[in-house]
Amino acid sequence: MQRRTLLGVAAAAACALPGLAHAAAGAARAAYPDKPIRVVVPFPPGGATDTWCRLVTAPMAEALGQPFVVDCRSGAASMIGSEAVARAAPDGHTLLFTISSLVQSPVVFRRAPYDAEKDFAPIGQLGTTSLVLACNKDVPGRTLAEFVAAAKGRNYSFGSYSPASTGHVFGQLFSDVAGLGMTHVGYRGEAPELLDLIGGRLHCALVSMTSAKGYLLDGTLRPLACLGRQRLPSLPGVPTFVELGYPEDFAWSGFVGMLAPAGTPAAIVETLAGSFRAATERAEVRRTLAEQDFILQWLGPSDMVREVRRARQSWAELVERTGISAE
């Protein structure tokens, strides 16, 4: 009788183990996050990417009950900060908030300290944005055609917020198509680039509406043309490059989003994606993004996986076709 009783107790315990394991896993998931979350922005403070990151992580911190600490870690055309996250522990406490430079820089530099598709677990895309070619107010030319006429035969310079970035490649492509032979000046972030553009140490640059809108509207900088297929709401009189007869390449659009290291548990990715999406639905977030002419276009984790792949492939094709390199 005693043996049968012991066997029954053992059987009952064995049956309970899966339930206990499931409960323990649920408790572990419920405990996330249990400490501050570090979000790496691979550019200096004060630029567009830093601004967007702080805008969405503030409501995410409120929802998840832990502070989000923004860590601006620039260098190597955004690859230093991106690599740091790729090598971080996949526990959901180190994240990357970045733009298409994630896939662009390795292609242009012909070296890859990480694999954009294999080393990250996308959490979500915030949307996309357009860049505007702007010149210093003292540079001759009120239209793109007038600027080109003034620049030909002169040693003009164009800046970019990072080598290998959208601003670099399309600035170079514009210079090549227009036959200007401009000199590229690369910066570690948009804030120092804007300082030199406003101060007259640069002739032109492709800038974001997030950082440069005020200067474009008050006449400090003169907008000439924008990337993408649609004119920007705040600059309805400024045509797109494609409208002006430039190649379809100038219709390029990239992504802005958040990623975790590969191997981050699916439950944590889902938790982060849910709070990220909820942040994009906040009225103040939508209003601020609209004021910056930002195109809010949420994509969840699986859709962003495909977007990263698309951006990487289309960028590689563009760079191969144009022969642009930052080596």
Side-chain angles (χ1 to χ4, degrees):
M1 184 72 179
Q2 186 177 12
R3 186 172 183 276
R4 285 198 300 270
T5 301
L6 289 172
L7 289 172
V9 171
C15 291
L17 283 175
L20 290 171
H22 180 74
R29 286 195 298 271
Y32 174 81
D34 59 2
K35 61 182 179 180
I37 296 172
R38 181 170 67 107
V39 187
V40 174
V41 172
F43 298 101
T49 312
D50 178 37
T51 301
W52 297 322
C53 179
R54 295 177 191 276
L55 179 66
V56 298
T57 55
M60 289 178 71
E62 181 183 327
L64 295 179
Q66 287 288 347
F68 277 57
V69 180
V70 179
D71 178 6
C72 290
R73 187 176 294 194
S74 62
S78 84
M79 290 191 288
I80 287 178
S82 300
E83 183 182 12
V85 176
R87 306 289 177 254
D91 59 5
H93 290 94
T94 302
L95 309 175
L96 177 68
F97 191 93
T98 190
I99 58 178
S100 298
S101 291
L102 177 72
V103 300
Q104 294 170 318
S105 296
V107 172
V108 179
F109 277 97
R110 308 292 202 270
R111 60 185 174 89
Y114 55 80
D115 187 307
E117 294 182 46
K118 295 179 181 178
D119 291 339
F120 298 94
I123 294 166
Q125 174 185 275
L126 180 62
T128 186
T129 185
S130 180
L131 295 181
V132 180
L133 179 68
C135 65
N136 178 278
K137 62 181 175 59
D138 296 325
V139 173
R142 304 200 64 83
T143 66
L144 188 63
E146 291 174 354
F147 174 87
V148 168
K152 281 193 174 180
R154 294 180 174 86
N155 188 26
Y156 272 26
S157 60
F158 75 95
S160 73
Y161 52 83
S162 171
S165 65
T166 302
H168 176 192
V169 171
F170 280 103
Q172 187 63 59
L173 188 59
F174 163 61
S175 177
D176 292 346
V177 172
L180 301 182
M182 291 193 294
T183 301
H184 170 242
V185 182
Y187 291 82
R188 292 181 62 175
E190 193 171 18
E193 174 197 32
L194 279 172
L195 285 175
D196 276 1
L197 184 59
I198 292 167
R201 291 175 289 277
L202 280 177
H203 291 91
C204 66
L206 281 153
V207 298
S208 75
M209 291 297 286
T210 300
S211 299
K213 182 176 179 177
Y215 303 120
L216 293 167
L217 294 182
D218 70 10
T220 302
L221 297 176
R222 186 179 305 126
L224 300 171
C226 60
L227 298 178
R229 294 193 178 280
Q230 297 181 336
R231 296 189 181 195
L232 296 171
S234 297
L235 300 172
V238 179
T240 67
F241 279 98
V242 175
E243 278 184 83
L244 295 173
Y246 283 76
E248 280 289 311
D249 292 326
F250 285 88
W252 160 268
S253 65
F255 62 80
V256 178
M258 185 182 292
L259 306 95
T264 301
I268 290 178
V269 171
E270 290 171 8
T271 296
L272 288 165
S275 64
F276 189 6
R277 180 166 191 171
T280 70
E281 294 171 352
R282 293 279 193 104
E284 64 272 22
V285 171
R286 288 178 172 265
R287 181 175 59 252
T288 301
L289 291 174
E291 289 170 353
Q292 297 170 359
D293 293 273
F294 188 96
I295 302 170
L296 181 60
Q297 190 176 60
W298 166 260
L299 292 179
S302 59
D303 287 332
M304 193 183 174
V305 167
R306 289 187 285 273
E307 177 59 18
V308 169
R309 184 178 303 120
R310 179 206 66 80
R312 184 182 190 179
Q313 291 173 347
S314 62
W315 191 255
E317 291 169 3
L318 172 64
V319 171
E320 179 67 24
R321 194 165 63 251
T322 59
I324 293 172
S325 173
E327 290 183 299

